[in-house]
Amino acid sequence: GQQVMQIPQYQHVQEGEDFTTYCNSSTTLSNIQWYKQRPGGHPVFLIQLVKSGEVKKQKRLTFQFGEAKKNSSLHITATQTTDVGTYFCAVYDDYKLSFGAGTTVTVRA
Amino acid sequence: KAGVTQTPRYLIKTRGQQVTLSCSPISGHRSVSWYQQTPGQGLQFLFEYFSETQRNKGNFPGRFSGRQFSNSRSEMNVSTLELGDSALYLCASSPGALGGQPQHFGDGTRLSIL
């Protein structure tokens, strides 16, 4: 089945700084989804990318789908304490949704 | 609109027992997927039900089974519980079949095996 590698596993960020998390696949993806899970909570859908080179923005979050549709990134600018949580990418393959290991973000005030 | 509802929220069982977890999807959603979340393995797909049919199953033993009713509510059953089954079990629903639709997750059932 589809495997997606997500890096880094942990990201410790100073409040106000930017950071990026990456999701990589060895095969071409039809689409990719991103979710956020707050500590003690459940995953919440953020965005879906479908087109090659697609870029979507949600306030301080910028999502990008690679030109070859084998990788994706989530960039957060001016990190806030509300950004704390684990960010997962997920890909659909063979009738199932496979999640990356996630990037757990902590913020230093 | 009410979200995805999972019951119970917490469950404690002993090895060898069996357990049934319930998931009520968002009204109008016909697909329900189940996931197991553990610190070591992350989020793992268990199975998806759409229109009362299991479309696919993840790499889990036959002790894990499920079903979906005509009102789209779903149950997951785990028999002969093992210590390694301790996990957060999440269900998610979507309007159509899995495959490019956002998944709406419930709060999960925290299962602890003693």
Side-chain angles (χ1 to χ4, degrees):
Chain A
Q2 190 64 260
Q3 294 283 339
V4 283
M5 299 299 295
Q6 197 170 348
I7 53 172
Q9 186 177 0
Y10 298 98
Q11 185 79 54
H12 308 289
V13 189
Q14 181 71 41
E15 191 173 18
E17 290 184 341
D18 302 351
F19 76 89
T20 304
T21 175
Y22 302 88
C23 200
N24 301 308
S25 170
S26 58
T27 59
T28 303
L29 305 170
S30 58
N31 60 57
I32 191 163
Q33 297 179 349
W34 285 90
Y35 293 79
K36 177 184 179 181
Q37 185 174 21
R38 294 181 185 273
H42 58 266
V44 174
F45 174 80
L46 294 176
I47 205 96
Q48 175 167 279
L49 304 172
V50 179
K51 300 176 183 177
S52 168
E54 187 170 17
V55 178
K56 288 188 176 181
K57 294 188 177 183
Q58 290 180 351
K59 296 183 181 179
R60 295 178 295 102
L61 278 61
T62 301
F63 303 84
Q64 189 163 1
F65 205 4
E67 293 290 342
K69 299 182 72 173
K70 290 185 176 182
N71 56 72
S72 180
S73 65
L74 160 59
H75 181 77
I76 299 183
T77 58
T79 304
Q80 300 177 358
T81 55
T82 53
D83 296 323
V84 165
T86 301
Y87 295 83
F88 295 97
C89 60
V91 298
Y92 178 74
D93 179 65
D94 195 23
Y95 297 100
K96 59 185 178 184
L97 196 62
S98 297
F99 284 80
T103 294
T104 298
V105 177
T106 55
V107 180
R108 298 189 301 272
Chain B
K1 207 177 210 182
V4 177
T5 304
Q6 290 188 246
T7 56
R9 289 294 311 279
Y10 303 93
L11 208 47
I12 299 175
K13 292 285 187 180
T14 57
R15 283 183 300 173
Q17 288 187 309
Q18 75 165 17
V19 67
T20 299
L21 311 181
S22 179
C23 174
S24 293
I26 291 172
S27 178
H29 286 194
R30 295 166 60 196
S31 168
V32 174
S33 299
W34 288 89
Y35 301 85
Q36 182 195 65
Q37 187 173 32
T38 60
Q41 298 298 318
L43 265 167
Q44 301 277 315
F45 173 85
L46 278 158
F47 28 66
E48 183 212 4
Y49 285 88
F50 179 76
S51 294
E52 302 178 65
T53 301
Q54 186 181 92
R55 296 183 75 229
N56 198 11
K57 185 173 181 179
N59 190 24
F60 282 84
R63 301 184 295 106
F64 291 80
S65 63
R67 59 178 176 169
Q68 186 180 35
F69 302 94
S70 58
N71 62 358
S72 294
R73 189 178 71 85
S74 178
E75 288 182 346
M76 188 190 89
N77 185 58
V78 188
S79 62
T80 320
L81 287 165
E82 300 176 0
L83 292 177
D85 297 333
S86 294
L88 179 66
Y89 290 89
L90 293 158
C91 85
S93 74
S94 60
L98 193 62
Q101 301 223 353
Q103 296 295 292
H104 301 265
F105 283 84
D107 289 331
T109 294
R110 175 76 61 184
L111 176 63
S112 298
I113 312 301
L114 303 179

